[in-house]
């Protein structure tokens, strides 16, 4: 009987080598996975950084490329009111007017000198009233509320035309919401897309004027107020207001008003101001009788000047006496 006495050491050694190789292969595979994972994470992070940078650059580029919109129908940044819709006119009827438009017409028709030789000098047919309005200013509200009825009467009778200049003098007085600018821009939206509704919207902005040092109305509330004022193209007006289309214009118009002389006075804007035929009204903005008297005085001055005497018909000028 024989026994197998061949050594087992090589077999064990082969198994250990196989285990080591397998372990080495596993470790190599794990290392590769870690390298790949790290590369993927780095790649994703890099893509996010690049994508974020692109998004920021695109946003800034979009802001820079956004067109600088300007309202239509403007004259020296003023919104002209030459007619008053019947619906708006009727809303102011029934009150006491400080100066009836017929009084203005009578002032314009009266001749200061009744002699046959006195003849009026031709002048413009209407008075020009310019109102620089800040929709957060109490003085602006006082003027509009005191004079709205007589202004509508004068315009409807053709005795005057009004231009409103929205300015943002109190932008810092609305808790950072820049209400004066936004309200001025909203007024420009209505003037551009629904001009016949501007006078009513302008009035409502001042009737519903927020308190100083509050947030003021939001853009959506301004849009709702415009629509309630009877604007046409309501969707377009709303988008214009909520997108702030004319905020940049309001800023620049305010800068121009502050930097350029107003009317005949040569003075620059320092607060809500009213000009009549280029002359600044320096009285109480909330006193309709005082303002009416100012307008009547200027109406008379504008339509008549000192007459020039005219020679009497038939009169002869003495000639030289013939010598004898």
């Amino acid at each position: 009987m024989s026994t197998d006495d061949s050594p087992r050491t090589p077999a064990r050694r082969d198994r250990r080598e196989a285990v080591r190789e397998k372990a080495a292969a596993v470790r190599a595979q794990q290392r590769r996975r870690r390298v790949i994972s790290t590369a993927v994470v780095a790649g994703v992070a890099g893509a996010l950084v690049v994508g974020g940078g692109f998004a920021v650059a695109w946003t800034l580029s979009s802001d820079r490329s956004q067109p600088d919109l300007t309202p239509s129908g403007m004259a020296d940044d003023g919104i002209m009111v030459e007619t008053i819709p019947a619906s708006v006119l009727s809303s102011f009827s029934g009150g006491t007017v400080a100066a009836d438009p017929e009084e203005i017409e009578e002032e314009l028709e009266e001749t200061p000198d009744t002699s046959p030789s006195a003849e009026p000098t031709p002048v413009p047919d209407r008075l020009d009233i310019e109102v620089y309005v800040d929709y957060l200013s109490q003085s602006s509200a006082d003027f509009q509320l005191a004079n709205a009825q007589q202004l509508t009467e004068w315009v409807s009778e053709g005795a005057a035309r009004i231009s409103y200049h929205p300015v943002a003098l109190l932008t810092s007085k609305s808790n950072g919401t820049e209400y004066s600018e936004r309200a001025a821009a909203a007024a420009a939206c209505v003037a551009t897309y629904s001009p016949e509704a501007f006078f009513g919207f302008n009035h409502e902005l001042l009737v519903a004027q927020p308190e100083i040092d509050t947030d003021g109305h939001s853009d959506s509330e301004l849009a709702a107020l415009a629509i309630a004022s009877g604007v046409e193209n309501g969707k377009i007006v709303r988008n214009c207001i909520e997108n702030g289309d004319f905020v940049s214009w309001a800023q620049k118009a305010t800068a121009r008003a502050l930097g350029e002389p107003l009317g005949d006075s040569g003075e620059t804007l320092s607060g809500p101001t009213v000009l009549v035929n280029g002359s600044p009204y320096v009285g109480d903005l909330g006193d309709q009788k005082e303002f009416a008297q100012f307008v009547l005085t200027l109406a008379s001055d504008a339509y008549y000047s000192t007459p020039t005497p005219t020679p009497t018909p038939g009169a002869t000028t003495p000639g030289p006496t013939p010598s004898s």
Side-chain angles (χ1 to χ4, degrees):
M1 180 177 181
S2 65
T3 60
D4 186 3
D5 292 332
S6 58
R8 296 177 175 274
T9 300
R12 294 192 187 100
R13 189 163 50 248
D14 292 341
R15 287 196 297 270
R16 284 197 298 271
E17 289 298 331
V19 170
R20 290 193 189 100
E21 290 174 1
K22 186 174 182 178
V26 170
R27 286 194 297 271
Q29 187 177 16
Q30 290 174 339
R31 282 195 299 270
R32 285 194 300 271
R33 287 176 179 173
R34 284 196 296 270
V35 170
I36 293 172
S37 178
T38 301
V40 169
V41 171
V44 171
L48 290 175
V49 171
V50 173
F54 176 78
V56 171
W58 182 85
T59 300
L60 294 176
S61 176
S62 296
D63 289 342
R64 285 195 299 269
S65 63
Q66 184 177 4
D68 187 8
L69 301 177
T70 301
S72 63
M74 292 286 183
D76 296 326
D77 296 324
I79 301 167
M80 187 66 69
V81 177
E82 297 185 272
T83 59
I84 303 290
S87 59
V88 174
L89 187 61
S90 64
S91 68
F92 291 105
S93 63
T96 301
V97 181
D100 191 277
E102 292 183 359
E103 292 183 42
I104 293 181
E105 296 296 337
E106 290 172 3
E107 287 281 344
L108 305 183
E109 291 171 1
E110 289 176 359
T111 305
D113 187 345
T114 57
S115 66
S117 62
E119 295 181 0
T121 301
V123 293
D125 59 348
R126 281 187 292 186
L127 294 171
D128 287 312
I129 301 175
E130 298 177 78
V131 183
Y132 287 81
V133 54
D134 186 313
Y135 293 109
L136 194 56
S137 166
Q138 184 62 53
S139 296
S140 290
D142 290 344
F143 175 79
Q144 180 68 21
L145 298 184
N147 294 283
Q149 184 177 345
Q150 64 185 11
L151 289 175
T152 58
E153 293 289 342
W154 291 345
V155 171
S156 65
E157 293 292 329
R161 56 189 168 197
I162 312 170
S163 60
Y164 285 91
H165 298 254
V167 290
L169 305 175
L170 299 176
T171 296
S172 63
K173 296 293 185 179
S174 54
N175 291 342
T177 69
E178 300 177 339
Y179 177 74
S180 286
E181 282 183 3
R182 293 187 296 105
C189 288
V190 173
T192 297
Y193 297 112
S194 188
E196 74 289 341
F198 170 75
F199 187 87
F201 180 57
N202 171 81
H203 185 78
E204 290 306 316
L205 280 176
L206 293 166
V207 169
Q209 184 182 81
E211 297 288 336
I212 290 283
D213 295 324
T214 64
D215 293 348
H217 303 302
S218 67
D219 289 338
S220 61
E221 290 170 338
L222 287 171
L225 189 63
I227 291 172
S229 299
V231 299
E232 296 180 355
N233 305 314
K235 185 176 181 179
I236 295 175
V237 171
R238 176 180 290 279
N239 289 338
C240 177
I241 294 174
E242 294 184 349
N243 293 337
D245 285 355
F246 296 133
V247 168
S248 177
W249 168 83
Q251 295 169 347
K252 294 176 181 179
T254 301
R256 285 190 287 268
L258 290 170
E260 298 174 0
L262 300 180
D264 300 330
S265 67
E267 299 179 358
T268 55
L269 188 70
S270 59
T273 301
V274 179
L275 306 174
V276 180
N277 279 8
S279 298
Y281 171 61
V282 295
D284 183 356
L285 289 173
D287 189 330
Q288 65 177 160
K289 292 183 179 180
E290 185 178 1
F291 179 66
Q293 185 58 50
F294 177 74
V295 170
L296 290 172
T297 300
L298 286 180
S300 178
D301 292 343
Y303 276 73
Y304 293 99
S305 61
T306 302
T308 301
T310 302
T312 303
T316 59
T317 303
T321 304
S323 58
S324 56

